[in-house]
Amino acid sequence: MIATVSTGSNDPVELASRLLDYNLLSQGRFGWNVVTGLPELSAQDFKVPKTPERADRYARATEFLQVYAHYLDAVREGKDFNHSGERFQYSLKRDELPTQGAAARFSTKVRPLIVQAGGSEQGRRLAAQSADAVFSAETVFEVARKNRLGLHAM
């Protein structure tokens, strides 16, 4: 199962905790399709005054994925978690993290798969940096091959 979840309308630590639980429930057969879009109605639901521009969405997604990965590492290793970035700030002591639960113990074996579409230039860069799998809608072999080679070169 792969859930499509936006980095624009979630908190990376809360989402990481949720995905750890889903990962456990699925016995490691779970992934997260990272999307950066924030539809206008969702923006209103989350009190975002206007839909962010593409560059802002990808900057947020990049930091979001860094926070997500470092949080999972802290849970897995039983360490304090600190992050001070442009968009997110956290300072969590080890005893504030779910380091003793079944989801954390299982995460030492398997972490949720990260999937990204990587359609735009920013999307391909984000996918190259963070995705375990990249999907595309290429229907011509040479175009798909060029896309794959471009991702590997990033």
Side-chain angles (χ1 to χ4, degrees):
M1 175 171 56
I2 297 175
T4 298
V5 182
S6 176
T7 58
S9 57
N10 285 280
D11 176 83
V13 167
E14 189 279 328
L15 180 63
S17 295
R18 235 184 319 151
L19 296 185
L20 281 174
D21 289 339
Y22 295 150
N23 193 50
L24 173 64
L25 292 171
S26 70
Q27 290 297 294
R29 295 182 302 270
F30 183 79
W32 168 29
N33 175 31
V34 177
V35 296
T36 64
L38 185 62
E40 193 167 327
L41 288 176
S42 294
Q44 291 171 7
D45 285 347
F46 290 94
K47 308 288 189 246
V48 176
K50 68 176 194 147
T51 304
E53 297 296 324
R54 179 183 298 266
D56 293 331
R57 291 192 336 254
Y58 279 97
R60 178 182 168 90
T62 298
E63 186 178 348
F64 193 109
L65 283 159
Q66 291 167 353
V67 170
Y68 170 85
H70 292 140
Y71 178 82
L72 290 185
D73 290 343
V75 168
R76 181 182 298 115
E77 297 166 13
K79 298 199 269 187
D80 293 349
F81 172 68
N82 294 293
H83 177 85
S84 182
E86 186 177 330
R87 291 163 179 79
F88 304 105
Q89 289 78 38
Y90 298 95
S91 181
L92 300 170
K93 298 291 182 202
R94 178 186 181 278
D95 61 346
E96 297 176 88
L97 302 177
T99 57
Q100 301 304 311
R105 285 192 303 274
F106 186 73
S107 77
T108 62
K109 299 174 188 155
V110 181
R111 71 187 317 162
L113 180 77
I114 300 293
V115 180
Q116 221 276 330
S120 67
E121 181 62 29
Q122 294 100 325
R124 284 191 294 278
R125 205 172 306 115
L126 182 66
Q129 292 170 358
S130 59
D132 299 306
V134 179
F135 66 88
S136 71
E138 308 295 353
T139 58
V140 177
F141 177 78
E142 282 306 316
V143 174
R145 184 174 180 273
K146 182 179 176 187
N147 189 22
R148 180 184 65 83
L149 291 172
L151 282 167
H152 284 277
M154 291 183 166

